[in-house]
Amino acid sequence: QVQLVESGGGSVLAGGSLRLSCVTSVYIKSCMGWFRQAPGKERAGVAVIESDGRTSYANSVKGRFTISQDNAKNTLYLQMNSLKSDDTAMYYCAARSLSGGWCYWSPQRFDYWGQGTQVTVSS
C-alpha cells in the first residue's frame, strides 16, 4: 500500500518561511504535487513537478514557493518563503500515479494523497 506522509507544517508570522516534506513509501516516477485547502474553499494546486523535474506553480505562489524532490530519499519538498496570511491552509502532497502521467492542476487527476499538514500564517 502506497503511503505519502507530510510534515513540516506549523504556525509562522507573515514574511516567515516553512519547508514541507512528503515521504513516500515507494519510489514514484510520476507527476507529484502540493495542493492546499483552506476552510470553505476547494482544494487547489500550489506546485507540481514532472518526473523529469520540470516544475509549475500557481500564480499566487510564484517567486515565493519552490517544489523539489530527492528521489534517493523518496521525498518531495515545498520550500515556502515570504508567507502571507492567504497561504493559511491544510497542505497535501499527491502523486498522479506510481509510474507515468503528466501533471495536471486538477486534484481529481491524482491517485495518491497524504493526510495533510496544517500551515497557519498570522499577520
Side-chain angles (χ1 to χ4, degrees):
Q1 185 173 352
V2 179
Q3 289 187 320
L4 285 69
V5 180
E6 301 100 333
S7 62
S11 296
V12 64
L13 293 175
S17 298
L18 285 173
R19 188 175 81 155
L20 306 183
S21 299
C22 172
V23 179
T24 64
S25 59
V26 298
Y27 172 60
I28 295 177
K29 188 175 176 60
S30 178
C31 169
M32 294 196 69
W34 287 97
F35 293 76
R36 66 186 180 187
Q37 187 168 18
K41 295 187 176 180
E42 293 186 353
R43 191 171 298 189
V46 174
V48 295
I49 183 166
E50 304 276 6
S51 58
D52 63 4
R54 289 177 294 148
T55 59
S56 296
Y57 298 90
N59 287 335
S60 59
V61 307
K62 278 182 182 177
R64 300 188 298 122
F65 290 12
T66 303
I67 187 172
S68 62
Q69 60 187 86
D70 185 336
N71 292 329
K73 296 181 179 180
N74 289 348
T75 303
L76 180 73
Y77 301 101
L78 184 68
Q79 177 66 45
M80 305 186 295
N81 299 327
S82 301
L83 283 161
K84 306 174 182 179
S85 56
D86 287 348
D87 296 319
T88 295
M90 184 72 80
Y91 284 71
Y92 300 89
C93 73
R96 268 273 281 149
S97 69
L98 295 184
S99 181
W102 298 109
C103 284
Y104 293 89
W105 286 110
S106 172
Q108 286 71 31
R109 294 278 194 163
F110 287 75
D111 291 339
Y112 301 96
W113 291 86
Q115 82 289 348
T117 186
Q118 177 68 37
V119 171
T120 302
V121 183
S122 57
S123 56

